[in-house]
Amino acid sequence: MTRIGLAPVLGYLIIEEDFNIALGVFALAGLTDLLDGFIARNWANQKSALGSALDPLADKILISILYVSLTYADLIPVPLTYMIISRDVMLIAAVFYVRYRTLPTPRTLAKYFNPCYATARLKPTFISKVNTAVQLILVAASLAAPVFNYADSIYLQILWCFTAFTTAASAYSYYHYGRKTVQVIKD
């Protein structure tokens, strides 16, 4: 929930070009993500279906807001942001489709939107995990660029290209492996 709450704050700080504070808030969001994962892995009674649903949602919201606002601030190119957002929209659409297909009849809106009623689990591919890390590295590097005065660096531009490559590879991996990335949960 903290990352979801921090996402619009980060977007505002970036649009207002307050990159020093934005970099600190981004670091805080990263720490809350690490802490959340650590707690869920080490204390079984702290793991929940709602938390399992909110964690990837928080990641998508945070990444989307960060990329759109960093693009607005001319720190990330528009085509790259379009590519990242498009991939995420396609993945979310696929998750909604899988959710519909795996929901037992009668299918109701209450059942469909109940995060405690899990019917399938998406298993991220290896390249998708790499892509998430690369996207976050690019966000951190882009936020730090105006703070440390390297916004026009060739290394940042290479990171844009590498991020585009991993994003395309990740999208392809979900297309190629399709059903192998979805685990249907049987009661």
Side-chain angles (χ1 to χ4, degrees), residues 11 21 25 44 64 80-81 97 107 121 137:
I21 295 175
V25 172
S64 298
L80 179 57
T81 296
Y97 174 74
R107 294 178 179 115
R121 182 175 296 119
I137 289 167

Side-chain angles (χ1 to χ4, degrees), residues 44-126:
N45 63 339
Q46 294 299 309
K47 193 181 247 182
S48 71
L50 180 60
S52 296
L54 283 178
D55 187 57
L57 178 65
D59 290 342
K60 296 293 178 220
I61 290 170
L62 186 64
I63 287 289
S64 298
I65 288 176
L66 284 168
Y67 271 88
V68 168
S69 43
L70 286 166
T71 300
Y72 179 86
D74 287 327
L75 293 169
I76 292 179
V78 171
L80 179 57
T81 296
Y82 179 78
M83 177 186 243
I84 289 166
I85 301 291
S86 296
R87 174 196 162 268
D88 285 350
V89 166
M90 286 187 288
L91 279 177
I92 291 167
V95 166
F96 276 116
Y97 174 74
V98 167
R99 173 70 169 174
Y100 175 78
R101 297 290 296 169
T102 58
L103 204 61
T105 54
R107 294 178 179 115
T108 65
L109 285 176
K111 239 196 257 185
Y112 187 86
F113 288 106
N114 182 351
C116 297
Y117 188 70
T119 57
R121 182 175 296 119
L122 182 66
K123 298 181 291 185
T125 61
F126 174 74

Side-chain angles (χ1 to χ4, degrees), residues 10-49:
L10 270 166
Y12 174 79
L13 290 169
I14 293 166
I15 288 170
E16 291 296 315
E17 298 183 0
D18 200 344
F19 300 111
N20 291 326
I21 295 175
L23 192 57
V25 172
F26 177 70
L28 176 65
L31 284 174
T32 63
D33 187 26
L34 290 173
L35 183 62
D36 178 49
F38 178 79
I39 290 170
R41 282 188 301 278
N42 292 297
W43 287 280
N45 63 339
Q46 294 299 309
K47 193 181 247 182
S48 71

